[in-house]
Amino acid sequence: MCGIVGYSGVKTVRQVLTDGLASLEYRGYDSAGVALWEGNAVTVIRQQGRLSRLVERIGTAHEESRCGIGHTRWATHGQPSEVNAHPHRQGRVTLVHNGIIENYLQLREQLEKEGYVFQTQTDTEIAAALIDSCYKGAPLEAIREACGRMEGAYAFAILFDGHPNCVYGIRLGSPLVAAVDDTGAYLASDLTAILPYTSRYLLPEEGELLALEEGRLSCYDGSLRPMEPVWKQAHWSVEQARKDGYRYFMEKEIHEQPQALRRTISPRIADGLPSFEVDGLPAGFFGRIHKLYITACGTALYCGMVGKALIEKIARLPVEVEVASEFRYRDPILEPDSAAVIISQSGETADSLAALRLLKGKGIPVIAVVNVVGSSIAREADYCLYTYAGPEIAVATTKAYSVQVAMMYLIAILAAGERGLADDQEQRRLVAGLEEAVERTPQVLAMGDEIRNYAKGLKNTESMFYIGRGLDYSLALEGSLKLKEISYIHAEAYAAGELKHGTLALVTPQTPVVALATQPELLAKTVSNMREVMARGGPVLALVTEDLELDPGACDRRITIPGKSGIFAPLLLVIVLQMIGFYAAEERGCDVDKPRNLAKSVTVE
Ligand code: F6R
C-alpha cells in the first residue's frame, strides 16, 4: 500500500503535501516524509510513526517552498523506522514509491558494483539508485530506462537535481492520479488527496509519464511523445473517494480480497510448489517437528482452527489450537520437537504476544502470521510470514482473515511435502486447487444482491445459529462472530451434531439457522441436522457448494457457493458469511466500520 503525493505551483507546498497525506493515511501509517524544493536544493524530512508527528516536526518552517513530494508508508521491505521512511535519496534523485520492486535484490547487486552504497533494506532506495544511474540530465529518459529494468509494481513521484520546482511521475500496477487547478499541478495515489482542490482529474495509463513543471502538467506516452491529457470528472465526495466509492471500509475490504489473496500467495509459490524461502523459513522446517501449537484470538483463532483441520488432514502433523488468553495462563505442557504459529492481523494483540513470549521462553520456535509489518509479534517471532492484505480499517476483519487462511493452506501443503506425505505432483495439484479458489472469489463478490436479499429478512432478528461440521464448523464460528459484532444480532455457532444436545430447545420460527455444507463426506450428516431444525420450525438457510446435491426439503433457502466442495471451499464460503454480516448490519442501521465497544487492535489482556 502506501500513499504518495506531489505538487508544483504557487502555494506553500508543506500544507498541500501534509493535507494530501492526511487523506491518504488510511493506506498506511508506519512513517511519513516529505521532500521539498528550496531554491536549487532538496530538503528531506522523515519521521517514524503517524503523520501527525511529521506535521509537528515541520511546524511552520519551509514556508517558501512551492514544490515537493510526500509519502505515508505501509512497510513491506524493512522495519517501520526513520531510515526506511520515504522519500529516499540516491545521487541526484529523490523519490517516493508505492508498490513492490520484485527484482530489487538483483538490481541492488548490480548497483553495488557501480559503487552505490545503500543505507536501508528497502526496495525503494534501489529504485532511486537505478534511476540515478540512468540519469544523464533528462528526467523522463532516466525514468523510462530505469523502469524498463524493474519488475513488480510501482507508482513514483520523483525529484531530479538540476530541475527545481519539478516533480515527475509514472505508474505500473499501483494507482496514480493527477490534476491541475489555478494554483498548480498535483499528483497522488488517489483522488482523496486532490478532491479538495478540483474534481477534474486524469488517470495515467500504465507506463505513461507525468511532468509537473513550475505548476504546469504535461503527459507523455511510453515513447516520451507528448500526449493530450484525457480528463475525467469525479462525482465523489472526499469521504466516498477514500472508500473507492464503497459506503463502508468493511465493504471495500471485502471486495479487496481477490487482490489481497493473490498478493499473499504468489510470492510463496515457485514452480507450482509452496515455498517460504522469501520469508527466511528454513527448508525442511516442518519435516523436523512432531507437533504444532497454534494460538491466536478472535477471528485469527478461527483461522487457526481451519489451519488445524488442513494441516492434520494434508500433512498428518498433530496440531493443538488454543485461544491465546487461556494458553498463556495455563502452564501448558509443551512437547519437545514442536513449533508454534501465532496468527494476528495487527501483530499487537496483547494475549497473542504474551503466548508468543511464553512459547519462546520454553524454547519453542515461533512462526508469526502477521499483516502489519514491524509490529511487536512480527519482530519477536523467530520467523514471520507476512500476509499482504494491505491496511484494514474496518474493525471487523475480513480480508486479513482470508489471507491468513491462504497461509494455512500453504503451510499445510509445504508440511505435507516436507513430511513425505505429498510428492511434487500432489503438492502442485493442491496449490492449483488453492489458486483456483482464489480466482473464483470475484464470483462470490458478484452475489451481493442475493445475499443482501437474505440479510434483509434479518432486520428484526434477535438470535440465530450457524451450524456446520469439520471445516464448516470453523467457518460457522467466523460467520457468527462477523454477524454479532457488527449487527448486534445474538449469534452462536455449533458443531451441527451438537445442537440436539441442548441448544435445539432455543430453535423457534424466530431463530434463523445458517447451515454450512461444503464438505462432501459430511453432507448427509449435516442434512440430518438441518432437518431437525426444520422440524422445530427454525428457518434454515443452506450455504452449499455448487457440486453438492441437496434435497430441497432440507432447507427453506439455498445460497450456492461457486466452485468445488472440499478443502478449498472455505475461501469462498467466508465471503458469503462476511456479506451476510455486513448487509444485516447495514439493514439494521448499525455503524458497520466502528461497532460499539470494540477496537481494531486489542493491546490489553
Ligand atoms: C473480529 C476481529 C477480532 C480479531 C482479534 C485478533 O472481526 O477482528 O476478533 O481477529 O481481536 O486480532 P489480531 O488478528 O489483530 O490479533
Side-chain angles (χ1 to χ4, degrees):
M1 293 293 282
C2 301
I4 67 173
V5 59
Y7 174 75
S8 166
V10 297
K11 290 193 281 195
T12 296
V13 73
R14 171 192 77 202
Q15 199 62 43
V16 179
L17 297 182
T18 52
D19 286 352
L21 292 178
S23 63
L24 296 175
E25 215 182 1
Y26 76 95
R27 300 179 64 87
Y29 37 75
D30 297 326
S31 61
V34 293
L36 313 170
W37 273 115
E38 299 195 282
N40 282 325
V42 174
T43 305
V44 175
I45 309 156
R46 304 184 297 179
Q47 177 70 49
Q48 185 180 347
R50 299 260 170 161
L51 175 69
S52 53
R53 295 183 60 195
L54 178 76
V55 172
E56 213 171 280
R57 186 156 148 196
I58 297 174
T60 53
H62 313 285
E63 182 72 24
E64 294 309 315
S65 176
R66 300 285 184 263
C67 176
I69 54 179
H71 187 269
T72 181
R73 179 167 187 243
W74 190 71
T76 55
H77 296 65
Q79 300 293 326
S81 60
E82 186 168 327
V83 71
N84 286 334
H86 301 213
H88 286 282
R89 186 167 165 86
Q90 276 283 349
R92 297 147 300 165
V93 168
T94 310
L95 58 75
V96 289
H97 168 217
N98 167 31
I100 294 180
I101 309 299
E102 285 164 7
N103 59 337
Y104 78 106
L105 288 176
Q106 193 188 328
L107 292 170
R108 183 179 177 130
E109 232 177 88
Q110 293 162 10
L111 289 160
E112 276 169 347
K113 285 190 194 133
E114 287 179 36
Y116 285 95
V117 177
F118 297 99
Q119 318 293 327
T120 76
Q121 306 103 44
T122 64
D123 52 341
T124 303
E125 200 190 6
I126 312 291
L130 181 63
I131 297 173
D132 181 65
S133 102
C134 299
Y135 181 39
K136 312 277 176 305
L140 295 176
E141 305 259 343
I143 298 172
R144 188 174 69 141
E145 190 185 330
C147 288
R149 290 171 56 191
M150 290 181 212
E151 286 163 22
Y154 48 77
F156 289 118
I158 313 166
L159 310 182
F160 286 86
D161 287 6
H163 292 265
N165 294 327
C166 301
V167 178
Y168 299 89
I170 188 166
R171 74 173 198 96
L172 186 95
S174 293
L176 194 65
V177 299
V180 287
D181 69 359
D182 51 10
T183 74
Y186 306 78
L187 62 76
S189 291
D190 74 40
L191 269 178
T192 49
I194 283 174
L195 277 176
Y197 312 110
T198 175
S199 55
R200 200 177 70 134
Y201 67 101
L202 71 88
L203 287 173
E205 292 296 329
E206 302 210 326
E208 288 176 3
L209 293 100
L210 301 173
L212 284 60
E213 291 165 323
E214 302 282 358
R216 291 181 316 275
L217 174 69
S218 317
C219 308
Y220 300 87
D221 68 14
S223 310
L224 304 188
R225 283 186 298 256
M227 295 169 51
E228 268 312 300
V230 181
W231 296 107
K232 295 181 185 294
Q233 190 64 37
H235 300 286
W236 291 349
S237 68
V238 173
E239 186 56 17
Q240 279 171 318
R242 208 154 91 84
K243 294 175 184 152
D244 274 358
Y246 291 103
R247 289 152 304 155
Y248 299 95
F249 281 111
M250 183 181 178
E251 189 183 19
K252 174 173 179 254
E253 287 158 8
I254 288 173
H255 284 264
E256 283 172 344
Q257 288 178 105
Q259 304 91 294
L261 283 162
R262 284 184 208 118
R263 261 201 313 269
T264 299
I265 66 169
S266 60
R268 276 94 182 203
I269 298 173
D271 189 22
L273 296 170
S275 161
F276 290 120
E277 205 182 316
V278 284
D279 307 286
L281 189 71
F285 182 91
F286 295 104
R288 290 190 285 274
I289 59 171
H290 296 114
K291 180 150 201 169
L292 195 65
Y293 299 95
I294 300 184
T295 170
C297 301
T299 288
L301 178 78
Y302 299 150
C303 166
M305 291 177 64
V306 173
K308 173 182 164 75
L310 295 171
I311 296 165
E312 290 194 339
K313 186 180 177 81
I314 303 174
R316 304 306 294 160
L317 175 65
V319 181
E320 258 183 48
V321 187
E322 193 167 349
V323 55
S325 55
E326 290 296 312
F327 181 82
R328 62 180 290 195
Y329 287 119
R330 81 171 166 86
D331 193 10
I333 301 165
L334 301 171
E335 292 183 20
D337 301 324
S338 58
V341 173
I342 306 278
I343 307 171
S344 175
Q345 185 284 131
S346 63
E348 299 295 349
T349 301
D351 285 316
S352 305
L353 183 59
L356 178 152
R357 290 179 179 156
L358 184 152
L359 286 155
K360 277 193 77 176
K362 303 245 182 208
I364 307 287
V366 177
I367 301 171
V369 174
V370 166
N371 197 43
V372 177
V373 174
S375 52
S376 305
I377 292 174
R379 283 200 314 269
E380 292 192 29
D382 297 288
Y383 308 100
C384 185
L385 312 180
Y386 281 116
T387 52
Y388 297 126
E392 205 178 49
I393 312 288
V395 166
T397 188
T398 51
K399 60 178 180 171
Y401 168 85
S402 294
V403 293
Q404 289 164 353
V405 169
M407 212 59 113
M408 296 300 117
Y409 286 106
L410 291 174
I411 290 176
I413 302 168
L414 182 68
E418 293 185 343
R419 291 168 60 77
L421 276 136
D423 59 13
D424 283 3
Q425 192 187 348
E426 174 62 1
Q427 288 179 65
R428 284 201 178 91
R429 188 188 70 78
L430 290 165
V431 167
L434 170 62
E435 290 177 313
E436 189 194 325
V438 169
E439 289 317 310
R440 276 190 191 273
T441 49
Q443 289 179 23
V444 186
L445 293 171
M447 292 164 54
D449 287 346
E450 185 184 358
I451 299 166
R452 176 188 279 144
N453 225 325
Y454 171 73
K456 272 189 176 157
L458 301 178
K459 184 163 185 187
N460 299 313
T461 296
E462 283 177 8
S463 185
M464 59 190 283
F465 295 100
Y466 285 68
I467 59 170
R469 287 169 180 260
L471 275 169
D472 286 330
Y473 171 49
S474 306
L475 272 282
L477 286 160
E478 174 56 6
S480 74
L481 178 60
K482 219 77 309 167
L483 183 84
K484 64 187 145 195
E485 68 180 321
I486 55 172
S487 75
Y488 316 142
I489 298 172
H490 171 252
E492 294 305 329
Y494 277 87
E498 267 296 294
L499 211 57
K500 57 184 167 295
H501 295 288
T503 309
L504 198 56
L506 293 176
V507 169
T508 69
Q510 279 72 49
T511 44
V513 174
V514 179
L516 284 48
T518 67
Q519 303 303 308
E521 68 283 8
L522 299 167
L523 180 68
K525 301 291 169 203
T526 303
V527 167
S528 305
N529 304 132
M530 288 157 63
R531 286 185 187 287
E532 288 154 14
V533 172
M534 294 275 288
R536 274 84 192 166
V540 174
L541 166 71
L543 303 182
V544 190
T545 30
E546 66 188 12
D547 57 352
L548 295 182
E549 292 277 326
L550 191 67
D551 174 356
C555 62
D556 297 280
R557 202 164 176 154
R558 169 180 177 151
I559 291 180
T560 300
I561 315 290
K564 295 190 193 112
S565 53
I567 58 167
F568 297 110
L571 280 177
L572 301 158
L573 173 60
V574 74
I575 300 177
V576 176
L577 297 168
Q578 294 164 350
M579 292 210 274
I580 290 176
F582 169 76
Y583 288 126
E586 195 192 20
E587 194 61 35
R588 288 160 65 90
C590 301
D591 187 347
V592 173
D593 286 336
K594 294 196 186 78
R596 69 186 178 207
N597 308 341
L598 302 179
K600 185 73 185 156
S601 189
V602 187
T603 52
V604 290
E605 44 177 294

